[in-house]
Amino acid sequence: MVVDLTDPDLYARGDPHAVWRDLRRHDPVHWHRQRHGPGFWAITRYSDIARISADPATFISAGGTSTMDLDAETKSPDDKVLGRTLVTTDPPRHNRLRALVNKAFTPRAVSRLEPYVRSAVTQILDDAFAREEIDFFADVAARLPFDIICELLGVPRDDRLALFRAISPFLEHTDDGGPRATALDLPSYFLQLVGRRADAPADDLISDLVGAELDGERLSTADTIALCVLLFVAGSETTMNAITGGMLAFVENPPQREPAVANLPRAVEEILRYVSPVMVSIIRTATRDVEVRGQLIRAGQKVTLWYPSANRDEEVFADGDRFDVARTPNEHITFGFGEHFCLGASLARLEIRVLFDEVFRRAGDVQLAGDVRRLRSNIFFAIDRMPVRVRR
Ligand code: HEM
């Protein structure tokens, strides 16, 4: 079977779910050739992805975890910053690094953020719904996760607008399918904020990190900045995609609204499964020769895990292409599995739940007012324009 899973047009204009369905059925551990690289394995079945993610000794993250790490020519501009932080670190350092940030993300710590999340959502929807026609991506979805991460890290409110503009290339998405000039300004911003918090600590995550120790030493400034940038990158694009994709799913399936209002936490799980707003695939590198479903994966080879495919695997989900907010059980793997399970899962769930709660309260009806544009990228699986008309 000849497929090119690295072609950004597949995600902008094609039907990647049809390609993944075919791979699951005919070649679930597929050797994928590359024009500019050594090739890689594409894993599309739920059980294989779960097994690989649960074995961080055989399948490490240090070789890079996103599609751009497959090809030396498309290295991420963030690579220098993100090169050795949480996502790309393996046990035992990984466990110690994760413990430093974990306490800000426990379900209890996150539930304390709910009043702030609700006030941020209220502000965003008051602004957006004052107009009849809006871009639901730019005017609603893109704004919320950014603001929440700023609040958590302790970015002063007066700095947020300038920072939002500084990273807007990241939000606006370039159209060449490659990595964007994303977080380049974030490291320099965080460098000065870390300095300010070292002089005058406040009640925020950056101040906690500045005083934290790792392996008996103070967490270095480079490690602190890398963690801050990671939280921005990991927490914004994913959550905004979930919100935009979830809204589109409701627009396309109006009868799903009523059961969603009746049980919003359950509907959030279906949004997460159906949209799978993660990077198109997560990468691991094999440390030894190992067999998966009868195929020999050699030490040093890259293995790509296609989460959106696993979330529609017919062995686990009946009628997986259907958006069904009453689906139970719903054991999706949108937040990953095992060692690197998403640190921000509770926070993402909270943001999505509160956002849809307030949208359903305020908007009688939301309809498309133009073409939905899918992002031309082989890194994120996302929508980056969604004109809608809102009737209150
Ligand atoms: C719907 C929204 C989100 C989705 C789908 C998502 C998905 C994921 C996935 C699949 C991973 C595992 C990566 C791997 O195995 O290599 C991950 C890791 C991570 N996520 Fe999320 N994420 C979301 C929201 C957030 C938020 C809001 C934050 C924080 C503000 C966050 C912070 C992180 C961090 C720090 C990691 C690295 C954890 C580690 O390596 O130990 N994520 N996320």
Side-chain angles (χ1 to χ4, degrees):
M1 190 187 315
V2 182
V3 287
D4 184 1
L5 290 169
T6 63
D7 178 3
D9 282 326
L10 175 63
Y11 308 98
R13 284 183 275 276
D15 183 359
H17 280 294
V19 174
W20 293 323
R21 196 179 310 123
D22 236 41
L23 283 170
R24 285 198 300 273
R25 191 167 306 152
H26 302 295
D27 197 5
V29 181
H30 167 75
W31 178 249
H32 192 296
R33 289 174 204 282
Q34 267 179 303
R35 213 172 299 155
H36 304 292
F40 56 85
W41 293 97
I43 316 288
T44 42
R45 281 228 173 256
Y46 186 104
S47 57
D48 296 333
I49 291 179
R51 179 198 146 187
I52 290 170
S53 307
D55 183 359
T58 308
F59 297 100
I60 57 168
S61 296
T65 57
S66 104
T67 326
M68 51 197 149
D69 297 308
L70 289 173
D71 185 346
E73 287 176 23
T74 56
K75 272 275 177 214
S76 153
D78 304 333
D79 205 56
K80 274 206 289 285
V81 184
L82 294 180
R84 55 186 299 272
T85 190
L86 217 48
V87 262
T88 43
T89 305
D90 295 295
R93 185 176 192 267
H94 173 261
N95 311 50
R96 295 196 288 268
L97 201 51
R98 188 165 163 125
L100 290 182
V101 255
N102 196 29
K103 84 173 201 282
F105 291 97
T106 60
R108 239 177 102 214
V110 166
S111 71
R112 282 200 291 269
L113 270 178
E114 177 153 353
Y116 182 81
V117 172
R118 199 165 288 275
S119 74
V121 167
T122 303
Q123 179 71 56
I124 290 168
L125 294 184
D126 281 352
D127 289 355
F129 288 2
R131 282 166 290 149
E132 204 173 290
E133 228 178 272
I134 55 167
D135 177 351
F136 196 83
F137 169 74
D139 296 328
V140 178
R143 289 184 56 193
L144 183 65
F146 173 84
D147 189 64
I148 302 303
I149 297 169
C150 284
E151 184 69 14
L152 201 95
L153 286 170
V155 173
R157 291 194 187 171
D158 288 351
D159 291 0
R160 292 184 194 176
L161 188 61
L163 194 62
F164 189 73
R165 289 200 177 123
I167 65 160
S168 64
F170 170 52
L171 299 173
E172 279 167 10
H173 301 131
T174 61
D175 202 32
D176 60 4
R180 292 149 296 173
T182 59
L184 278 180
D185 288 338
L186 284 177
S188 36
Y189 175 78
F190 283 121
L191 180 63
Q192 60 85 16
L193 189 57
V194 163
R196 268 152 65 187
R197 290 296 182 265
D199 294 341
D203 182 19
D204 57 38
L205 184 54
I206 292 191
S207 302
D208 289 351
L209 291 174
V210 167
E213 287 193 356
L214 182 70
D215 301 335
E217 285 174 27
R218 278 222 154 168
L219 190 66
S220 72
T221 304
D223 281 337
T224 308
I225 291 170
L227 275 172
C228 295
V229 173
L230 171 69
L231 290 173
F232 256 93
V233 175
S236 11
E237 188 87 30
T238 45
T239 313
M240 65 179 84
N241 293 342
I243 292 170
T244 318
M247 192 69 249
L248 182 61
F250 284 112
V251 168
E252 290 177 341
N253 300 275
Q256 293 293 319
R257 177 170 166 154
E258 208 181 292
V261 171
N263 189 338
L264 212 41
R266 190 175 63 182
V268 169
E269 296 311 306
E270 180 65 349
I271 292 171
L272 289 164
R273 181 198 71 85
Y274 183 78
V275 180
S276 281
V278 70
M279 294 189 284
V280 285
S281 86
I282 300 278
I283 317 295
R284 298 287 187 260
T285 307
T287 53
R288 61 177 174 87
D289 290 1
V290 56
E291 234 180 69
V292 177
R293 234 178 244 268
Q295 297 277 25
L296 179 64
I297 295 177
R298 296 241 177 239
Q301 286 182 329
K302 296 262 196 261
V303 176
T304 59
L305 311 176
W306 299 83
Y307 284 49
S309 167
N311 276 338
R312 297 197 185 186
D313 187 339
E314 15 319 89
E315 277 176 6
V316 181
F317 302 100
D319 206 1
D321 288 330
R322 199 159 67 89
F323 181 59
D324 173 10
V325 296
R327 186 181 292 277
T328 41
N330 193 349
E331 302 291 326
H332 63 76
I333 52 170
T334 298
F335 290 120
F337 197 89
E339 202 70 39
H340 291 274
F341 181 82
C342 176
L343 196 67
S346 299
L347 180 59
R349 286 184 162 117
L350 172 70
E351 290 180 42
I352 299 165
R353 174 172 59 75
V354 172
L355 191 282
F356 280 100
D357 186 26
E358 293 294 332
V359 166
F360 291 149
R361 264 176 220 274
R362 287 148 190 264
D365 187 29
V366 181
Q367 282 181 359
L368 289 184
D371 290 338
V372 173
R373 187 173 71 187
R374 291 190 177 271
L375 179 62
R376 189 173 176 276
S377 161
N378 60 14
I379 300 159
F380 290 105
F381 186 36
I383 290 166
D384 69 347
R385 190 171 60 206
M386 194 170 109
V388 296
R389 202 168 295 119
V390 179
R391 197 173 47 76
R392 303 190 74 167

